[in-house]
Amino acid sequence: MTWVEAIVLGIVQGLTEFLPISSSGHLRITSAIFFERDAGASFTAVTQLGTEAAVLLYFAKDIWRITRTWIVGIWDRSVRGSLDYRMGWYVIVGSLPIGVFGFLFKDQIRETARNLWLVATTLIVFAFVLAFAEYWGRQTRTLENFRMRDGVVMGFAQAMALIPGVSRSGGTLTAGLLLNLTRETAARYSFLLAIPAVVMSGIFSIGDVFAPAAPGTSVPSGAQMIVATIIAFGVGYAAIAWLLRFVAHHTLYVFVLYRVALGTLVLALLMTGTISAT
């Protein structure tokens, strides 16, 4: 891997991780168009440690309050009715689907699922699913109305993002809207829900970055991996603040149009042989 590649992919990861447009899909597409190779699923997983560090910093007070209340609630029944205690369980239970599916289909995620025909198709298909959710969802429910069912449904939606092009934030936002949650409520839970799964995935993928399973995968040095992750952290932190402000006042249709346009572009490049699918 070149330093330009590491820096560009770090920026792309930070810009796209929290938007409903698929960061893993963008890293795959960027690598194919500009560097004619794949940085690999493990590179994506490790750079996500940077963006999740941004989540930990941005939501530090909320995370500390939820964690403390959840721990206290294990012994003290009087706090078990609080939203913070319940949110602790919602995040834990909601994280299980992606953990289970990620473990069961690890090899397919690192190899087969990175085919650009699949990435482009999922970008387009799930754009229309997101559009339907934005149109149909009543957006009447806030965090105070959040229930375990919501956490489980959004947890399974997050697991779908193991396929590049689906988008973790896009899947959870879509599920949240279909559950009639407000966009801001769905986005906030989405941020919290990502922490356990993404952090564990990134930690377990560190070794795989330097021993990729797929042939032709670019291999970064330790220094390049660190720099890309730090860049993803800085850009990702800014993206969190922007997204929360955006979803509070705007629809998600701009992301729908962007996904369709990008997916169509990638399909055209594949059909003309400009880029390779693998």
Side-chain angles (χ1 to χ4, degrees), residues 24-260:
S24 58
H26 273 73
L27 289 182
R28 178 69 184 92
I29 293 168
T30 302
S31 294
I33 293 177
F34 296 103
F35 305 108
E36 299 183 347
R37 54 189 175 184
D38 186 6
S42 297
F43 179 89
T44 301
V46 175
T47 53
Q48 284 177 333
L49 290 174
T51 47
E52 287 313 302
V55 173
L56 291 172
L57 180 60
Y58 193 91
F59 292 101
K61 292 182 179 179
D62 293 337
I63 294 169
W64 167 247
R65 190 182 66 250
I66 291 170
T67 302
R68 181 185 59 189
T69 304
W70 181 80
I71 293 174
V72 171
I74 294 176
W75 313 105
D76 186 353
R77 293 185 178 182
S78 65
V79 302
R80 293 180 184 177
S82 67
L83 175 61
D84 287 335
Y85 177 78
R86 290 185 283 114
M87 187 58 65
W89 279 113
Y90 298 156
V91 171
I92 292 171
V93 175
S95 299
L96 295 179
I98 197 171
V100 172
F101 288 117
F103 176 78
L104 292 176
F105 300 104
K106 178 181 179 181
D107 292 338
Q108 290 84 350
I109 293 166
R110 294 180 65 191
E111 299 176 38
T112 309
R114 299 188 68 76
N115 185 286
L116 281 174
W117 287 105
L118 177 62
V119 173
T121 301
T122 53
L123 275 170
I124 296 171
V125 171
F126 282 90
F128 289 109
V129 177
L130 177 61
F132 174 78
E134 175 67 43
Y135 176 80
W136 185 85
R138 294 192 295 272
Q139 299 187 46
T140 56
R141 302 175 61 224
T142 63
L143 277 178
E144 287 69 25
N145 311 120
F146 204 91
R147 297 293 180 266
M148 181 62 78
R149 180 199 64 169
D150 305 317
V152 172
V153 171
M154 293 179 71
F156 275 98
Q158 176 178 248
M160 295 176 64
L162 291 169
I163 303 173
V166 173
S167 172
R168 187 199 59 77
S169 60
T172 50
L173 281 172
T174 297
L177 290 173
L178 291 174
L179 291 166
N180 297 317
L181 297 172
T182 64
R183 284 188 296 270
E184 189 173 9
T185 296
R188 284 185 172 275
Y189 177 70
S190 177
F191 284 127
L192 297 175
L193 181 63
I195 296 171
V198 173
V199 170
M200 294 304 294
S201 174
I203 292 173
F204 284 118
S205 296
I206 290 176
D208 294 333
V209 170
F210 307 106
T217 301
S218 57
V219 181
S221 67
Q224 289 171 333
M225 194 72 257
I226 291 172
V227 169
T229 304
I230 292 174
I231 291 173
F233 163 78
V235 177
Y237 187 88
I240 294 173
W242 180 86
L243 181 62
L244 287 175
R245 288 196 300 269
F246 183 88
V247 298
H249 304 289
H250 302 84
T251 70
L252 300 177
Y253 291 125
V254 63
F255 301 115
V256 172
L257 295 175
Y258 174 80
R259 288 177 64 107
V260 172

